[in-house]
Amino acid sequence: MGQPSRGMGGIRYFRTFIDVEEEPMSFPARAQSCPPANAEKFEEDLDLAAYVSELPGRAQEMKSKLTPPPSPSPPPRAPRASVPSLGSRGHPDLCSRPCIFFPFGCHLGDSCTHCHADHAGRSARLDKRQRLALQALGERGLLMLLLPHFRDRAAGAKVAPHTQGLIHMLEAALADMDQEEDPDVLSLGKKLEGVLSRMSLASLAGLVASRRFSRSSLPQRVQGELDRLRSVAT
Ligand SMILES: [Zn+2]
Ligand SMILES: [Zn+2]
């Protein structure tokens, strides 16, 4: 898992390269085996490895597009169209991260697992300190912090009528947790709240789905709900 992967063409990548938004924090040596909660992370790593392995070919492709042969009367550049892709399903609430190749031309077309629809500005993502702060919160604190954002984003989503299952799932999980002490959620600061309030429903779900919960299949069930909502949205 933590080993560097080698893509084709000699490009190496480490897990912190390109994107770490949904990366769960690693716990100090718990078990040598791969627990079920890590299965999705493993798939994501594979996905990312495949993505990175395409970089040399795509860079070449982009280069050829950036230096077109001279033409006496070049046609006016067409406005960027929103071409749907696999990763665009449920845009803008449920789609995957925006495709970084799309502005130049993504050769994967509609089979690309990243979003090809327009995203205004950069998508909100947590910095390292914020991710560590969320990790330090624990499971209950995380749900207490995220639930208001889940409710807000679910209510505003195109698939709002279908999001009750997800919200109830999170509420039930929170209610089932031991209430030994209330985590100090408020001390995390407005900056973190600001990022969370700009995150999409899919990004919020990713924060739970990529987390390892003790004695709970909540991450897997949240991922299942996200997949279901995406299929409803398309
Ligand atoms: Zn999108
Ligand atoms: Zn793409």
Side-chain angles (χ1 to χ4, degrees), residues 91 95 115 119:
H91 175 85
C95 56
C115 185
H119 281 256

Side-chain angles (χ1 to χ4, degrees), residues 85 87-99 114-119 200:
S85 63
S88 309
R89 287 184 306 158
H91 175 85
D93 311 305
L94 303 164
C95 56
S96 301
R97 294 185 294 273
C99 174
H114 295 265
C115 185
H116 280 188
D118 265 324
H119 281 256
S200 70

Side-chain angles (χ1 to χ4, degrees), residues 51 58 85 99-102 106 108-109 112-116:
Y51 194 55
R58 287 180 166 218
S85 63
C99 174
I100 60 169
F101 296 108
F102 184 66
C106 172
L108 292 177
C112 181
T113 55
H114 295 265
C115 185
H116 280 188

Side-chain angles (χ1 to χ4, degrees), residues 10-234:
I11 286 190
R12 279 167 167 264
Y13 93 93
F14 293 82
R15 284 172 58 189
T16 49
F17 180 55
I18 290 190
D19 187 82
V20 286
E21 182 185 319
E22 293 162 276
E23 180 182 35
M25 301 295 146
S26 54
F27 291 86
R30 263 246 182 104
Q32 292 302 314
S33 62
C34 182
N38 267 2
E40 281 159 20
K41 178 72 198 106
F42 182 60
E43 275 179 24
E44 194 175 286
D45 275 353
L46 288 179
D47 181 44
L48 186 55
Y51 194 55
V52 170
S53 72
E54 292 162 1
L55 292 178
R58 287 180 166 218
Q60 198 57 43
E61 187 184 310
M62 277 158 51
K63 205 173 156 191
S64 63
K65 293 206 173 178
L66 287 172
T67 53
S71 154
S73 55
R77 204 178 158 186
R80 196 178 132 190
S82 290
V83 180
S85 63
L86 203 58
S88 309
R89 287 184 306 158
H91 175 85
D93 311 305
L94 303 164
C95 56
S96 301
R97 294 185 294 273
C99 174
I100 60 169
F101 296 108
F102 184 66
F104 310 97
C106 172
H107 81 268
L108 292 177
D110 57 10
S111 64
C112 181
T113 55
H114 295 265
C115 185
H116 280 188
D118 265 324
H119 281 256
R122 275 194 87 207
S123 55
R125 55 184 57 203
L126 301 168
D127 63 26
K128 191 175 181 184
R129 267 179 56 181
Q130 291 165 334
R131 293 199 309 276
L132 287 172
L134 287 197
Q135 192 66 39
L137 266 182
E139 298 167 12
R140 185 159 181 269
L142 181 72
L143 291 188
M144 287 176 71
L145 178 72
L146 296 185
L147 245 175
H149 294 282
F150 267 107
R151 290 194 186 104
D152 177 69
R153 248 39 56 76
K158 287 178 187 170
V159 291
H162 303 278
T163 54
Q164 284 184 355
L166 175 64
I167 300 302
H168 288 165
M169 180 186 290
L170 294 165
E171 287 172 343
L174 183 58
D176 278 349
M177 287 175 179
D178 295 332
Q179 301 186 18
E180 282 159 7
E181 56 186 82
D182 272 342
D184 192 4
V185 171
L186 291 176
S187 72
L188 286 168
K190 285 186 174 161
K191 217 170 161 186
L192 175 59
E193 283 287 341
V195 177
L196 291 175
S197 49
R198 284 185 287 116
M199 277 191 162
S200 70
L201 192 55
S203 297
L204 291 173
L207 291 178
V208 178
S210 62
R211 179 87 173 236
R212 185 186 305 179
F213 277 63
S214 60
R215 305 189 309 273
S216 170
S217 60
L218 184 66
Q220 290 89 334
R221 286 185 288 127
V222 164
Q223 182 63 50
E225 259 317 280
L226 182 60
D227 293 339
R228 189 186 68 81
L229 287 172
R230 281 172 172 161
S231 66
V232 167
T234 48

